[in-house]
Amino acid sequence: MKLLLAIIIVFFSLPTVSHATLYTLTKVDERVYAAVVDPSGPVASNAFIVVTPTYVVVAGAHFTADATAEITRIIAGITPLPLRYVVLTHHHQGYRSTDFDFPPTVEIITSTQTWTKLKAEQRSLKNQVISFDKGMAIYGGNQKILLNSMEDGHSTGDVVVYLPDQAVLFTSDLFYNDEAGFMADGSARGWVQDLQMLENLVVTKVVPGRGDVTDSAGLRRFRMFLQEFLTEVLGHVERGETASETVRKFSLSAEKAPPNFSRYHKENVEWAWRELQQRR
């Protein structure tokens, strides 16, 4: 009895092993979900999950092997239906550790520009790939899913996902809600134009690339920040300052700069300086 008691005490005094959660699941609409990343966590971008009557569609980017495994577990907790399509919204050249570890039964849907980037990587996909130039529609029973390539914005070939019946929009990294994510692979002018175009859509919910689910007001707030950011950098460019001088001197007031703006301060300011310098 004393031995049993000692074993129990030792067992309960051992440190517990916790399994980190990469995403927090948010229900956006009936059978529509956002997998929202922890801002301080290892996963870079939110994912979007749509459960049709016969299969599941996931959209997003920066899918590490761990992120893909967790998304698969999340889906299993929602529905017994299989994951059939992953809409890869974009891919940054040289990110060989992401976007290559989907289950082999999954088909990848992406823009032609993104597919070109993937083919140039040292790793190769084991999945079937469907690519499109401008737009594409998926009809899963009574669920309509519209895909559109924005061509030049956060990156070349960004794909947005729109559910017209639910008025839900997934922007991926074209839009960060109350955050300033990585911007240094984009087109300044194209990005602002893309956001202006998206603001004209009829939407009740917007799922961003980072940050919580919001609405069209959140989308407009980010577009206004982006314009303020570019205008401020343009002032440094017009004064003849170098990229390094602009990085050192650049600042935005607290009400204009979103939280964690400093995370990619150098990369984003240098990108904006190059973009605006080229257009002088």
Side-chain angles (χ1 to χ4, degrees):
M1 190 69 179
K2 289 181 180 179
L3 178 61
L4 178 60
L5 182 60
I7 291 171
I8 292 172
I9 291 171
V10 169
F11 177 80
F12 282 103
S13 64
L14 289 174
T16 57
V17 179
S18 62
H19 298 280
T21 300
L22 303 178
Y23 298 96
T24 298
L25 191 66
T26 299
K27 189 170 184 179
V28 179
D29 203 294
E30 194 64 33
R31 301 168 73 86
V32 179
Y33 304 85
V36 178
V37 299
D38 180 347
S40 60
V43 178
S45 192
N46 294 343
F48 187 58
I49 302 169
V50 183
V51 182
T52 79
T54 51
Y55 54 78
V56 179
V57 179
V58 167
H62 305 299
F63 289 107
T64 62
D66 287 345
T68 300
E70 182 157 328
I71 286 291
T72 303
R73 289 194 296 270
I74 287 172
I75 292 170
I78 296 172
T79 176
L81 293 171
L83 172 59
R84 180 172 178 183
Y85 298 116
V86 169
V87 178
L88 190 59
T89 55
H90 64 281
H91 177 82
H92 297 298
Q93 196 72 50
Y95 280 45
R96 294 184 293 274
S97 62
T98 66
D99 304 327
F100 291 94
D101 295 296
F102 303 108
T105 53
V106 168
E107 293 184 66
I108 309 300
I109 301 176
T110 193
S111 65
T112 301
Q113 298 97 323
T114 299
W115 176 226
T116 300
K117 295 177 190 176
L118 288 168
K119 287 192 296 182
E121 296 286 16
Q122 294 178 9
R123 295 184 67 187
S124 59
L125 281 166
K126 54 185 177 292
N127 309 80
Q128 291 287 106
V129 177
I130 301 168
S131 66
F132 64 94
D133 288 330
K134 298 291 185 182
M136 178 177 174
I138 302 172
Y139 296 93
N142 58 0
Q143 177 64 66
K144 184 188 299 182
I145 305 172
L146 303 182
L147 313 178
N148 192 76
S149 173
M150 305 302 285
E151 297 191 11
D152 288 309
H154 166 74
S155 68
T156 303
D158 289 299
V159 175
V160 296
V161 182
Y162 182 52
L163 310 182
D165 295 335
Q166 293 97 329
V168 173
L169 174 68
F170 175 56
T171 64
S172 194
D173 288 357
L174 270 166
F175 162 45
Y176 304 114
N177 184 26
D178 289 332
E179 284 200 42
F182 181 76
M183 302 157 81
D185 195 24
S187 162
R189 180 178 297 177
W191 200 336
V192 172
Q193 290 174 343
D194 287 348
L195 292 171
Q196 289 171 331
M197 190 182 310
L198 293 176
E199 285 179 51
N200 292 325
L201 289 175
V202 176
V203 295
T204 56
K205 299 283 182 63
V206 181
V207 180
R210 288 180 67 88
D212 293 330
V213 178
T214 183
D215 53 20
S216 55
L219 189 66
R220 183 168 58 255
R221 188 166 59 248
F222 177 74
R223 190 257 303 163
M224 293 173 65
F225 150 72
L226 181 58
Q227 289 179 307
E228 292 276 1
F229 168 74
L230 294 170
T231 299
E232 181 67 22
V233 174
L234 181 60
H236 292 268
V237 171
E238 290 180 338
R239 288 193 291 273
E241 295 176 6
T242 65
S244 59
E245 288 173 331
T246 302
V247 169
R248 188 174 69 254
K249 296 178 181 180
F250 179 88
S251 66
L252 277 179
S253 61
E255 64 269 16
K256 292 179 180 178
N260 88 334
F261 177 75
S262 61
R263 183 178 184 182
Y264 295 109
H265 174 91
K266 182 177 184 295
E267 296 90 337
N268 289 346
V269 172
E270 286 179 341
W271 160 74
W273 185 92
R274 289 192 303 271
E275 282 284 298
L276 297 168
Q277 180 75 21
Q278 292 169 5
R279 300 182 188 280
R280 290 185 69 188

